[in-house]
Amino acid sequence: MTAPMTEPMIARAADKRVLPTPFHARASALCQTNCWSSWNAYTVVDLYSTLEDEYFAIRNATAAFDLTPMAKYRISGKDGLAYLDKLMTRKMGKLTPGRVMYAAWCNDRGHVLDDGTVFHLDKNHWRLCSQERHLDWLLATAMGFDVEIHDESAEVAGLAVQGPTSCRTLKAMNLEGIENLKPFQLRYFPFDDTELLVSRTGFTGDLGYELWIEPAHAEKLWDALFIAGKPHGILPNGGQALDMARIEAGFIQAGVEFVPAAELVRPDRGRSPFELGLGWLVHFDKPIFNGRRALLEEREKGSRYRFVRLDIDGNKPGNEAFIYNGKKEIVGHITSATWSPSAKMNIALASLKMPWGRPGDELYAEIYYNRELQWNRLMARCKVVNDAFFAPPRRRETPPRDY
Amino acid sequence: MSKRYDVIIVGAGHNGLVCATYLALAGYSVLVVEANERVGGAAITREFAPGYSVSACAHLLFLLHPKIVADLSLERHGLKPAATDLHTVALAADGAHLTLTADAIDGNGVSTGDRAAYPLFLNKLRRFAGVLQKTFMTRPPRLAHKSMADLTALAKLGLSLRLLGRDDMRELLRIGAINIHDVLQETFENDLLKGAMGFDAVSGGNLGPRSPNTVLTCLYRLTGQLNSKGSGISIPAGGMGAVTGSLRAGAEAAGVEIVTGTPVKRILLDRDRATGVETSDGERISGAIVVSNADPKTTFMKLVGARNIETGFARRIDNIRMQGKAAKLHLALDGPPTFRGLEQTQLGQRLVIAPSLNYVERAFDCSKYGEYSNQPTMEINIPSVHDDSLAPKGKHVLSAIIQYAPYNLRAGWDAERAAFKQLIIDKLAEYAPGIEERIIASELLTPPDIEKEFNIHGGHWHHGECSPDQFMMLRPTPGAAQYATPVAGLYLCGAGSHPGGGVLGLAGRNASTEILKREKTP
């Protein structure tokens, strides 16, 4: 008769493939569905309760999402800003201490390796936070710069706290002055004898924050947050609800809207920033950045693809559908799709071959759906939408109202 | 020098001077900026002891292309040989040497089979080398590129392979990517013969006879014979400095300006375009085109700066394999040395200590682990036999390439230089008893010394291994293999570019051709 396995024993057993995050004990206690996913070698909850509950917590209350598996790199040294300027397609000069910037980075071919956020933590200290792992590329880019690159992915636990009551929740946690934190700002707060880093960032397009702390304090942070958030409707949310929210916000995701260039087997399958709707992140007035030559050439010769946000007729989600033009030629495909409860639209993100997706182009999504073993096919008319499907003004309000 | 030039060439090595002259002849204003006090790069003659001069790096002329000699009228500018078509003497410690010429072996103890196989084997390799050589005069084609010139060049390469005929093509495919040890082993019996032939394939490289790709390096070396009736190995009168001296005279006659003793600190950039150079004393000279005769690592990591090139390219440059493994020994002798069993008339030939393939392989083994060879292999040459300008009357200079001497010696060269030099001299004395008593002065250049004196990263005098991963369209690396680089207006013209190392001059010539094609005429 063997003793039951303790939590650390389970973790060690799981160590072969997936790690528990520092929030694992709390998350597993709340997970009613046992739906887990592997994300960057961590096990994370896909769905805690129901998709509806979690989604509406994001949009109508507060939802907490464990984003510890994100890759986090510390960039330190006096050349840090110059380094970031070479790494990123965007001019990073405005990234002063206490600010966060969204940026994308490319290989020499001008294909996107990833997008992510850069936190200017302190003088000569930055943190790059991304979906994919990039240590090799970050180190190679450091040649010639006085910078140190350190992978701190496992040293920082992260919780996204998103939704209209998120600010009230954090105020209730005694984070003094949190209401004055503007979008893309960060601030340190004392917490449990350590420092809690809070940034007003997120992946939902809503009012929201991301909380970063040493793993040893993670559970205490979770507990404090859920106690403070209880009156404000806090729920944990898993990956499924987050995906709905980010599609509504019109955000692209690595591995979904584009294959990270470092993972490509067929090098021409990559996407440039222009082909992902990220042209606004490309600043040619910098003397050098990775991909500059290729992107200059693309600007001259034209892109191969266009990233579009689509409003599709009907209510059948168009996941992975081909997009046709008026002549019934395939001109692209959908990369992400969902029914948007907030926008009340059948929405999708798609990659179209140039020149399709111009104003006035007729586009149809070929959607297959199954009703009790009967497959149906429909050609649903699509309309290109210029902005996010759902972008509530509260996402930028400072201070936010007490929802 | 506040003047603006059409072209600034960084480095007055033979390729830099060749490139400069072709461009000046085409009407460009050209300035060559050289760090050292004399031009020539690794092809110089310099004094190493009062009254004794030697070719300080490269010491034999294998490959200098006749077209360059003719185009640049080098003979009119003073180039003349002191000796041509040198034989190779495979030295034996007991004095039973073999003399190897382009088509025969002279000496005792060689079987009839070996004698018969020798010319057949070399003829075969020369046919293969001929395919290689056809690519030497043009820029290497890019792969998977739609440019017509690239497709044509690839088609020509394919055609010249096809024209070898079925049997030769099969044979080239069979041996092309294996090692010289196995090929020699299946062809010959005599160890001394195989040792000397194997040495040729590994000279100057980070390779032993059993290393892959040594058939390629052997073919590369043999291309030099294709322009000659004999071995193609010669010694210029006045040493290798005379080659670059004639290039300098030719360059200046064509209107090239040359400044020496002026190290370039960096290549100036305006965004991603080269606009000139800054010298170590802070002077800025502007040029519409900058051509670097420096090796690719020095050019990009030091002169342009890793931060000014894109990461993928920087990583490829950083990964270029170029750690020198050859040292250079110079001896001043108070009389001609006597090699056991070698007639004095043979003293001026190319003498090789490589008694067997295993001997060379064991010498290489040491270097793999950061040690110098305890039984080094070497190529010896006593140019003063042919040229009395190098030493006082009756005295001699000996120049030897010694392998292997790893750039990153584990114990450090400062601690080991003297011991290694003594070891080499002892090894020489096994073949030339009494030579140590004749030494008036001596000098050993290790790869770090070569790096410092000749400004070659890693002290690798081919500016990078000549192996398939760094050959043709991969030399030095894709994106810079057609002499143009990712930095607009910056070109490479040194041995780090196609076709590669050796005092050949074709990289400089091909670079000039490419510049004339790509840039607007002056």
Side-chain angles (χ1 to χ4, degrees):
Chain A
M1 180 75 188
T2 48
M5 283 173 86
T6 62
E7 201 66 43
M9 284 167 73
I10 295 167
R12 273 199 299 278
D15 190 40
K16 301 292 181 287
R17 296 279 171 177
V18 282
L19 300 166
T21 79
F23 301 112
H24 186 82
R26 297 295 183 270
S28 51
L30 291 172
C31 181
Q32 302 164 359
T33 64
N34 206 25
C35 284
W36 297 80
S37 290
S38 173
W39 173 23
N40 269 351
Y42 284 93
T43 185
V44 289
V45 175
D46 221 22
L47 190 69
Y48 284 90
S49 53
T50 72
L51 188 53
E52 289 74 16
D53 283 356
E54 293 174 28
Y55 168 81
F56 282 107
I58 295 173
R59 290 293 181 228
N60 294 341
T62 291
F65 175 77
D66 179 1
L67 46 74
T68 306
M70 294 286 283
K72 285 147 264 161
Y73 300 97
R74 179 66 70 107
I75 297 157
S76 320
K78 66 176 178 58
D79 285 347
L81 200 60
Y83 169 79
L84 287 167
D85 259 331
K86 173 171 171 185
L87 180 70
M88 302 298 184
T89 60
R90 187 176 186 182
K91 256 161 97 171
M92 303 302 287
K94 284 184 182 158
L95 184 58
T96 49
R99 287 202 63 83
V100 185
M101 262 170 111
Y102 173 62
W105 55 105
C106 291
N107 63 10
D108 295 16
R109 286 182 70 126
H111 289 172
V112 174
L113 287 159
D114 208 349
D115 60 342
T117 41
V118 189
F119 296 69
H120 196 160
L121 302 174
D122 201 350
K123 188 172 189 285
N124 293 345
H125 285 280
W126 293 262
R127 174 180 297 155
L128 171 60
C129 191
S130 65
Q131 165 75 35
E132 303 290 315
R133 300 200 176 274
H134 296 285
L135 186 59
D136 175 58
W137 185 257
L138 297 182
L139 287 172
T141 305
M143 282 189 282
F145 290 99
D146 183 3
V147 289
E148 271 184 52
I149 312 296
H150 169 65
D151 183 347
E152 57 180 5
S153 300
E155 294 158 27
V156 184
L159 266 187
V161 181
Q162 306 275 310
T165 64
S166 56
C167 184
R168 286 185 79 179
T169 299
L170 296 182
K171 268 199 282 191
M173 243 177 81
N174 297 322
L175 303 187
E176 213 167 303
I178 186 72
E179 66 276 12
N180 296 323
L181 198 63
K182 290 180 189 161
F184 288 99
Q185 277 188 340
L186 64 84
R187 193 177 298 172
Y188 289 93
F189 296 91
F191 181 85
D192 190 29
D193 301 329
T194 187
E195 272 184 331
L196 169 67
L197 173 65
V198 180
S199 55
R200 188 161 165 192
T201 47
F203 205 37
T204 61
D206 213 314
L207 173 62
Y209 303 84
E210 287 172 333
L211 278 49
W212 312 90
I213 201 158
E214 290 163 44
H217 303 270
E219 290 187 353
K220 280 196 178 163
L221 175 65
W222 181 289
D223 295 342
L225 179 72
F226 275 76
I227 290 166
K230 196 154 193 273
H232 307 292
I234 192 168
L235 282 181
N237 78 282
Q240 290 186 16
L242 179 66
D243 201 43
M244 284 178 70
R246 73 99 191 161
I247 298 169
E248 284 184 331
F251 294 154
I252 59 166
Q253 187 171 347
V256 181
E257 269 65 42
F258 65 98
V259 180
E263 288 171 21
L264 288 167
V265 176
R266 302 163 188 84
D268 61 334
R269 300 282 164 90
R271 292 288 188 276
S272 77
F274 297 117
E275 294 167 342
L276 290 169
L278 301 179
W280 63 280
L281 290 179
V282 182
H283 292 149
F284 287 115
D285 48 347
K286 292 197 287 185
I288 170 95
F289 61 83
N290 288 328
R292 186 175 187 272
R293 270 165 40 106
L295 293 174
L296 270 175
E297 197 183 317
E298 181 180 338
R299 188 175 67 171
E300 228 153 81
K301 292 189 179 166
S303 301
R304 301 162 304 156
Y305 301 98
R306 191 199 305 273
F307 168 79
V308 290
R309 302 184 178 93
L310 297 177
D311 174 6
I312 306 172
D313 277 1
N315 62 2
K316 306 288 182 293
N319 300 69
E320 298 178 352
F322 276 124
I323 302 292
Y324 291 77
N325 62 11
K327 291 183 197 154
K328 298 186 178 169
E329 294 162 335
I330 295 176
V331 295
H333 70 279
I334 285 174
T335 52
S336 294
T338 186
W339 170 257
S340 164
S342 298
K344 307 276 186 289
M345 268 194 250
N346 187 20
I347 64 173
L349 309 180
S351 182
L352 303 184
K353 281 183 230 166
M354 281 300 203
W356 302 100
R358 296 163 294 195
D361 278 343
E362 257 183 88
L363 298 171
Y364 299 89
E366 182 185 32
I367 298 173
Y368 288 79
Y369 64 97
N370 184 332
R371 286 287 175 273
E372 295 173 322
L373 292 185
Q374 180 170 312
W375 277 100
N376 301 293
R377 171 181 181 261
L378 63 91
M379 295 294 275
R381 186 79 190 251
C382 309
K383 201 172 84 214
V384 173
V385 175
N386 285 326
D387 289 315
F389 301 105
F390 180 66
R394 62 177 178 250
R395 74 191 194 282
R396 292 201 179 127
E397 270 175 15
T398 311
R401 278 175 287 170
D402 277 340
Y403 293 99
Chain B
M1 271 200 312
S2 57
K3 206 173 127 190
R4 183 184 161 81
Y5 295 85
D6 295 328
V7 180
I8 298 173
I9 296 189
V10 181
H14 57 278
N15 277 311
L17 294 171
V18 166
C19 186
T21 311
Y22 276 110
L23 291 176
L25 290 172
Y28 286 91
S29 64
V30 183
L31 173 73
V32 181
V33 189
E34 167 59 40
N36 286 337
E37 290 301 336
R38 76 187 82 212
V39 303
I44 59 163
T45 308
R46 70 153 166 75
E47 207 173 60
F48 67 101
Y52 295 86
S53 293
V54 73
S55 300
C57 190
H59 68 176
L60 294 171
L61 206 49
F62 284 84
L63 302 160
L64 182 65
H65 203 279
K67 177 152 175 62
I68 289 173
V69 177
D71 281 357
L72 307 186
S73 318
L74 296 187
E75 279 161 9
R76 187 157 57 79
H77 293 293
L79 179 65
K80 62 171 189 289
T84 54
D85 289 332
L86 294 188
H87 301 156
T88 292
V89 179
L91 293 174
D94 64 2
H97 313 302
L98 299 180
T99 302
L100 314 179
T101 67
D103 49 18
I105 311 167
D106 186 27
N108 296 323
V110 181
S111 69
T112 332
D114 278 2
R115 284 181 199 281
Y118 185 77
L120 294 176
F121 179 73
L122 282 182
N123 282 337
K124 177 173 80 182
L125 292 196
R126 281 188 286 255
R127 289 197 300 275
F128 298 165
V131 175
L132 202 58
Q133 200 199 30
K134 285 210 178 79
T135 70
F136 278 15
M137 303 289 283
T138 51
R139 71 169 198 202
R142 286 165 292 193
L143 293 171
H145 206 275
K146 290 187 186 108
S147 131
M148 204 54 207
D150 290 337
L151 290 173
T152 314
L154 278 173
K156 271 189 189 158
L157 179 61
L159 184 67
S160 58
L161 280 168
R162 187 69 190 83
L163 288 175
L164 281 173
R166 186 187 64 184
D167 293 348
D168 264 6
M169 218 170 19
R170 277 184 185 161
E171 179 66 358
L172 178 58
L173 287 175
R174 187 180 74 85
I175 68 171
I178 62 172
N179 63 75
I180 196 69
H181 169 275
D182 290 0
V183 174
L184 292 171
Q185 204 66 4
E186 68 181 24
T187 314
F188 299 108
E189 295 163 357
N190 188 288
D191 279 343
L192 196 54
L193 171 66
K194 287 185 283 189
M197 292 178 80
F199 176 87
D200 281 0
V202 299
S203 175
N206 189 358
L207 301 159
R210 285 184 180 82
S211 302
N213 313 329
T214 37
V215 171
L216 176 74
T217 47
C218 174
L219 296 180
Y220 184 73
R221 175 92 163 205
L222 270 176
T223 56
Q225 280 194 11
L226 303 175
N227 307 321
S228 155
K229 286 193 182 71
S231 70
I233 307 170
S234 65
I235 298 179
M240 295 301 275
V243 177
T244 42
S246 69
L247 281 170
R248 175 180 195 150
E252 286 176 334
V256 174
E257 281 181 53
I258 299 171
V259 290
T260 56
T262 310
V264 167
K265 190 166 74 185
R266 61 194 181 102
I267 290 168
L268 298 170
L269 303 173
D270 177 17
R271 296 181 183 275
D272 59 358
R273 169 164 274 281
T275 57
V277 299
E278 184 179 327
T279 65
S280 62
D281 50 18
E283 188 185 3
R284 288 162 170 245
I285 313 167
S286 59
I289 300 165
V290 177
V291 184
S292 178
N293 186 192
D295 67 84
K297 274 201 194 185
T298 301
T299 301
F300 289 106
M301 304 313 259
K302 194 172 149 202
L303 300 179
V304 173
R307 58 198 282 170
N308 295 318
I309 50 176
E310 296 183 20
T311 298
F313 184 72
R315 184 154 56 179
R316 292 204 299 277
I317 294 291
D318 191 50
N319 286 344
I320 291 172
R321 299 185 302 118
M322 54 181 308
Q323 292 228 330
K325 286 223 168 169
K328 193 73 198 299
L329 178 77
H330 303 141
L331 298 178
L333 302 168
D334 76 351
T338 309
F339 284 79
R340 190 181 291 122
L342 189 75
E343 287 170 34
Q344 289 307 90
T345 52
Q346 290 271 74
L347 201 56
Q349 303 300 342
R350 172 176 176 259
L351 312 176
V352 172
I353 297 181
S356 70
L357 287 168
N358 279 347
Y359 178 97
V360 180
E361 189 73 34
R362 286 198 186 98
F364 176 57
D365 284 345
C366 298
S367 76
K368 290 193 281 193
Y369 308 107
E371 292 154 19
Y372 54 71
S373 307
N374 49 19
Q375 301 276 345
T377 180
M378 54 185 100
E379 172 189 274
I380 303 153
N381 163 236
I382 304 165
S384 48
V385 170
H386 310 287
D387 184 347
D388 53 15
S389 73
L390 301 173
K393 198 166 170 50
K395 318 280 187 201
H396 284 281
V397 289
L398 178 150
S399 165
I401 293 170
I402 316 294
Q403 290 187 188
Y404 296 82
Y407 176 81
N408 281 325
L409 189 72
R410 211 164 39 183
W413 278 111
D414 286 342
E416 296 288 330
R417 185 182 281 99
F420 188 50
K421 189 157 85 175
Q422 191 55 49
L423 184 149
I424 300 162
I425 291 168
D426 291 348
K427 174 55 72 179
L428 270 173
E430 286 177 27
Y431 292 80
I435 192 169
E436 66 274 27
E437 280 115 56
R438 292 199 167 269
I439 298 173
I440 301 166
S442 65
E443 175 186 57
L444 178 71
L445 298 179
T446 65
D449 301 324
I450 291 168
E451 175 176 65
K452 194 158 168 254
E453 177 170 353
F454 303 102
N455 299 302
I456 302 172
H457 182 98
H460 194 298
W461 59 45
H462 292 162
H463 286 198
E465 290 290 317
C466 294
S467 54
D469 59 312
Q470 302 184 162
F471 209 65
M472 286 186 76
M473 60 284 278
L474 303 179
R475 189 167 188 88
T477 183
Q482 295 192 317
Y483 311 100
T485 72
V487 180
L490 175 65
Y491 290 81
L492 297 176
C493 77
S497 293
H498 176 76
V503 180
L504 182 62
L506 286 179
R509 175 195 167 273
N510 292 353
S512 71
T513 309
E514 194 63 15
I515 291 165
L516 293 174
K517 198 187 303 176
R518 290 193 189 218
E519 302 284 342
K520 62 178 194 300
T521 39

